[in-house]
Amino acid sequence: MLDAAATPATPSPARRVREPVGLVRWATFAVIVVVAVVRAAYTLTAQMEPLTGDRGAQYYLGKLTAEGAVPLVDFQHGWNAGSWWVNALVYRLAGGDPLWWEFLLGRFFAVTLSAILVAAMGLRRRLHPAAMVAMALAVLMLASPAQVKYVLPVVFAFILLPGGRLDAGRWSLVVRLLVPAALFWQHVELAILLTGAAGLYELIGRREAAVRERVTRCAALAVGILAGFVSEVLFYRIGYGMSLAELNRQVVFGQAQQFPNHFGWPFFEVPSDGEGYLIVAVYPFLLLLMFVPVIWRLASDPTRFLALCALLLATVPVRRPGPGHAETVSALVFAALIFALCDVYDRRDRISLPSPPRSMSGRQLVTAIVGFATGAAWVGAALAFGFGARSLVGPVILVLVVSVMMIGTRLRARLVAVSAGACLVLGVVPLASAVEHVDDLSRESRQLEAADVWGDAIRPEMTRCLKGGRTAFVLGNQLSLYDALDVENPTPFYLFHYDFGRNEKQLTAMMAGGEVPVVLQTTAMARGGWVETAIEKDYEPCAEVWIAEEHRRFRIWAHRSLEPFERRAVTVRPDGTRTFSKLS
């Protein structure tokens, strides 16, 4: 039970915020900053392999933006022009050096800045220095945002954290308008999710506020998203003559038209190599722990705000489960978790557990059992349907189930029984999955592959097939090959990603008209796919390069307008020698 009338023996969070920060906290924060920066530098490895895949795409598009281009075709849902301008700034700060770029984008402005910001949140809340250190270490060791865009949620939460100067007064509405608008320019998906979290906090999470104030703040958040969209439409319309339909297709909601079918959390199917999958095993349970009724009732407004931001961000890893996506959005999970533990400790005297009765009536027993079952049921529903549903409806169910629980905690009856049932499920499921994981490891192991430099092996055949030209389309995400082969992309597209099909009409017309003289195939195509059909209709294989050491095959297709040309296969051996044969 929660005893609202009890007087806590320790200072309440509200009183604690008003106390001086103190020299010890400032010194702790300074140490965290130094350790975070040094760790970022000394865990960076020398770049022995080329930037390929998504990472190479980010580097190459950042380079294009730094040179004056505005890349409108991104490769992940939600990226917006502002993200590429930040990337271009990082590229310029790095002087174009890929290792410095990797340090700044993937370490300093991602993991390091996230750790510093969560420690700064603890500083603002006057948490114990040990709690500040725990939050920072959780981000550095477990919640490692892979790139600069995933520091945006931490920045959003830092600015709008309840209890600060921006949370009250005449500037509160202005801030709630400007922050979502600015975030929309950076990343559409994160802007919508985080703004929704802020609105959910105003409606359900905030402890004391008039209805009019709640509605006004929610309206300001909604207007902020609208302002971001309208300003972007005007920017591209006036500056680039782009229509609303094309803008929507390229950089806004057109990015959400197709999603990979990766839904469904692998509770008992974590890959046996175990590399980086610790966060996958514990993420759902850490996320839901903060919404256990007793904890939620004791949580302060800042804790509730962080917890709701983490809840809405769960859409990202639920949609694509894996350590890469779970780690990148976990900074706020760990920050909220530490905040919650501090709140529970500060208000521990408000929890009065019922003493075991000498005798219990049948009605009391049934009531306790129902409360226990209710707690187990809502957590079970959140795990089974919110994380387990194999569609985008899963995150929606997750938010709805948690919202119902948050509203239900206003009823004080049997909170302890409900919380006990919830905690039982939150403990049993990950323990059972741990047993299953160890059993998998005893039967199976996997090896990791590494890429190597391919440009030198492909360049001679590419030069021959181009017949003096310099335009070729690389079919894949290895954008560094454009520079390695000294060729230019004749299309407005750079990436072959899961939603590339929306560009079929324009690209096939360019290929049929000969505007794309050569296509370099770096990835396997599905039989009967539209790209393969377009290539086989208007192109002939000019060369096939087999790199024996890497066990990789590349095919160069030349447009029929370039005929005649020799068709040959090349095998590049580890010692650099080449053998030639006729390409069938």
Side-chain angles (χ1 to χ4, degrees):
M1 287 290 223
L2 291 180
D3 186 1
T7 301
T10 53
S12 68
R15 294 178 182 175
R16 186 177 58 208
V17 170
R18 289 193 292 268
E19 71 176 80
V21 175
L23 180 61
V24 175
R25 289 193 183 95
W26 277 116
T28 302
F29 179 73
V31 170
I32 290 173
V33 172
V34 173
V35 170
V37 174
V38 171
R39 179 189 178 276
Y42 281 88
T43 56
L44 187 69
T45 57
Q47 188 174 335
M48 306 303 294
E49 300 171 359
L51 284 169
T52 59
D54 286 354
R55 208 62 168 173
Q58 294 172 44
Y59 176 79
Y60 195 83
L61 291 179
K63 171 179 177 290
L64 293 182
T65 309
E67 294 172 351
V70 180
L72 302 177
V73 181
D74 64 11
F75 63 98
Q76 288 180 346
H77 161 57
W79 278 69
N80 219 333
S83 296
W84 299 117
W85 288 331
V86 171
N87 195 344
L89 175 62
V90 173
Y91 179 88
R92 290 186 180 278
L93 289 175
D97 184 281
L99 189 62
W100 273 103
W101 174 85
E102 173 69 22
F103 170 75
L104 292 174
L105 189 81
R107 299 300 180 96
F108 186 79
F109 287 118
V111 183
T112 302
L113 185 57
S114 293
I116 292 173
L117 285 176
V118 297
M121 291 181 196
L123 195 68
R124 287 171 55 180
R125 293 289 325 284
R126 277 57 163 180
L127 295 187
H128 192 281
M132 294 169 55
V133 172
M135 286 195 299
L137 289 179
V139 174
L140 292 175
M141 302 301 177
L142 295 174
S144 301
Q147 48 198 269
V148 68
K149 73 176 181 179
Y150 283 117
V151 76
L152 295 175
V154 187
V155 175
F156 180 92
F158 178 79
I159 295 174
L160 296 184
L161 189 70
R165 296 179 180 179
L166 300 180
D167 189 45
R170 60 182 180 179
W171 290 105
S172 61
L173 294 181
V174 176
V175 171
R176 278 158 182 76
L177 188 150
L178 294 179
V179 171
L183 185 57
F184 188 91
W185 271 82
Q186 293 294 319
H187 196 278
V188 175
E189 182 182 18
L190 293 178
I192 294 174
L193 292 176
L194 290 169
T195 304
L200 193 61
Y201 162 74
E202 296 292 346
L203 294 176
I204 299 177
R206 185 179 287 274
R207 284 180 173 274
E208 296 179 1
V211 174
R212 180 178 180 180
E213 181 182 358
R214 295 172 186 267
V215 174
T216 302
R217 288 178 177 232
C218 288
L221 293 167
V223 171
I225 287 290
L226 181 62
F229 175 73
V230 172
S231 61
E232 190 165 15
V233 170
L234 294 176
F235 173 81
Y236 283 113
R237 181 64 179 175
I238 297 173
Y240 298 93
M242 180 174 291
S243 67
L244 176 60
E246 182 65 9
L247 174 69
N248 178 62
R249 189 182 77 87
Q250 293 281 3
V251 299
V252 191
F253 299 109
Q255 299 293 335
Q257 290 176 355
Q258 299 183 38
F259 290 95
N261 188 23
H262 295 170
F263 296 92
W265 202 263
F267 295 108
F268 300 100
E269 300 174 2
V270 174
S272 59
D273 58 71
E275 184 67 27
Y277 273 86
L278 172 61
I279 189 66
V280 174
V282 300
Y283 179 85
F285 314 99
L286 296 180
L287 177 70
L288 292 175
L289 182 63
M290 295 170 289
F291 299 98
V292 169
V294 167
I295 297 177
W296 182 256
R297 283 289 296 271
L298 296 174
S300 61
D301 281 355
T303 303
R304 293 182 170 196
F305 176 72
L306 293 181
L308 288 171
C309 287
L311 176 67
L312 270 291
L313 286 178
T315 298
V316 177
V318 171
R319 179 166 58 87
R320 301 189 68 181
H325 291 86
E327 287 175 358
T328 55
V329 297
S330 293
L332 294 183
V333 173
F334 286 102
L337 187 62
I338 299 298
F339 272 37
L341 293 176
C342 291
D343 289 341
V344 172
Y345 179 80
D346 286 340
R347 299 175 176 178
R348 62 190 181 279
D349 289 343
R350 296 180 60 181
I351 306 176
S352 57
L353 296 177
S355 57
R358 294 182 180 180
S359 62
M360 180 179 291
S361 66
R363 181 178 180 180
Q364 289 175 321
L365 179 62
V366 170
T367 303
I369 293 175
V370 170
F372 186 88
T374 301
W378 88 259
V379 170
L383 294 176
F385 300 105
F387 283 90
R390 299 189 177 275
S391 70
L392 193 57
V393 73
V396 176
I397 293 176
L398 178 63
V399 174
L400 291 177
V401 169
V402 174
S403 299
V404 170
M405 187 285 305
M406 289 187 293
I407 296 173
T409 56
R410 296 175 182 176
L411 305 175
R412 301 179 58 184
R414 301 301 174 188
L415 285 182
V416 173
V418 174
S419 300
C423 288
L424 177 67
V425 176
L426 290 177
V428 168
V429 176
L431 289 176
S433 68
V435 174
E436 179 73 15
H437 181 60
V438 174
D439 188 57
D440 289 342
L441 286 173
S442 67
R443 300 191 305 265
E444 184 182 357
S445 64
R446 298 179 182 177
Q447 295 180 349
L448 302 177
E449 293 181 335
D452 200 358
V453 178
W454 307 315
D456 291 340
I458 304 172
R459 189 181 300 109
E461 296 304 304
M462 176 64 75
T463 302
R464 179 180 64 83
C465 294
L466 281 171
K467 293 185 175 182
R470 291 190 59 249
T471 56
F473 178 62
V474 177
L475 183 59
N477 288 1
Q478 292 78 27
L479 297 186
S480 57
L481 285 176
Y482 282 109
D483 288 341
L485 300 174
D486 194 25
V487 295
E488 296 178 353
N489 184 358
T491 78
F493 313 108
Y494 287 92
L495 298 154
F496 189 88
H497 212 257
Y498 58 81
D499 59 348
F500 196 73
R502 57 196 175 87
N503 303 311
E504 175 181 358
K505 183 177 180 180
Q506 183 175 350
L507 186 58
T508 51
M510 295 181 69
M511 294 170 68
E515 297 177 54
V516 184
V518 168
V519 176
L520 173 63
Q521 179 186 346
T522 68
T523 57
M525 293 180 294
R527 296 298 301 175
W530 68 268
V531 177
E532 183 184 54
T533 301
I535 290 178
E536 291 179 348
K537 178 182 177 182
D538 298 298
Y539 293 77
E540 291 291 339
C542 176
E544 192 172 86
V545 180
W546 168 254
I547 304 178
E549 186 176 13
E550 296 296 320
H551 299 284
R552 291 185 178 274
R553 191 180 306 276
F554 299 85
R555 175 161 286 198
I556 302 175
W557 300 79
H559 196 267
R560 288 197 173 96
S561 61
L562 295 178
E563 290 184 316
F565 45 77
E566 179 185 4
R567 297 167 174 80
R568 67 185 185 188
V570 182
T571 299
V572 182
R573 305 193 181 281
D575 60 359
T577 59
R578 297 168 178 262
T579 57
F580 300 87
S581 61
K582 187 175 181 180
L583 180 62
S584 58

